[in-house]
Amino acid sequence: MADRKSSTYGFARTSKLLEDRIRKATETRGFSQARLLTQWAEIAGEHVAAISRPVEISYGRGGFGATLTLLTTGANAPMLEMQKGQIREKVNGVYGYNAIARVRVTQTAASGFADGKVSFAHGQAVKEKQISPQAVEKARQSSAEIGDHDLRAALERLGANIISKPQA
């Protein structure tokens, strides 16, 4: 039986070459960076993962505690700014100590402006709430007198959402 020749001609994927070095470097600081990247939705929560993704963990000179940089879009940046403390607590809760000292929100990826226009794959994980047919019918009856078709359709959607919202 003939030996099978490799089609890569001795080349290896860059990710394979760097994987062990990145893991060793981050583990010397006390945690695995790969875990934060691969399990972002579970760590930060579905809502935060839908509007952001971690792009960089940087360490200060000789200091303990890292800075986590989150990438988001312009409209979601103020929302994440208000949640930075909670995000830091969730991340540190996973690792069991204060691995992350600061959270920084950016609208531009660490590698430049071209990567700043990303879609967040975790956004698909946020579930659309189901509206009952009774709520749709009640909203339709309430807006039946509106003459403009587009306005009536918009009011029906708004009304169905309001009717189906749980009362606090």
Side-chain angles (χ1 to χ4, degrees), residues 61-75:
R61 287 188 205 143
F64 189 74
T67 301
L68 170 64
T69 303
L70 298 177
L71 174 65
T72 188
T73 58

Side-chain angles (χ1 to χ4, degrees), residues 78-114:
M79 298 294 288
L80 282 177
E81 281 291 330
M82 293 187 302
Q83 298 178 33
K84 287 191 328 187
Q86 295 165 341
I87 293 169
R88 188 176 75 78
E89 288 175 9
K90 286 180 181 180
V91 171
N92 289 335
V94 169
Y95 292 109
Y97 72 100
N98 287 332
I100 301 294
R102 291 161 300 284
V103 176
R104 187 173 70 108
V105 177
T106 184
Q107 297 172 27
T108 305
S111 59
F113 288 102

Side-chain angles (χ1 to χ4, degrees), residues 12-71:
R13 291 177 53 188
T14 306
S15 62
K16 280 293 185 195
L17 294 173
L18 296 176
E19 188 174 83
D20 289 335
R21 290 185 180 187
I22 291 172
R23 183 180 44 79
K24 287 177 186 174
T26 56
E27 286 175 353
T28 60
R29 298 288 185 150
F31 67 101
S32 171
Q33 182 176 354
R35 181 176 181 192
L36 184 66
L37 297 174
T38 58
Q39 298 176 351
W40 180 240
E42 291 85 18
I43 293 171
E46 292 295 328
H47 179 69
V48 172
I51 62 173
S52 68
R53 72 173 181 159
V55 290
E56 181 181 28
I57 296 176
S58 58
Y59 304 95
R61 287 188 205 143
F64 189 74
T67 301
L68 170 64
T69 303
L70 298 177
L71 174 65

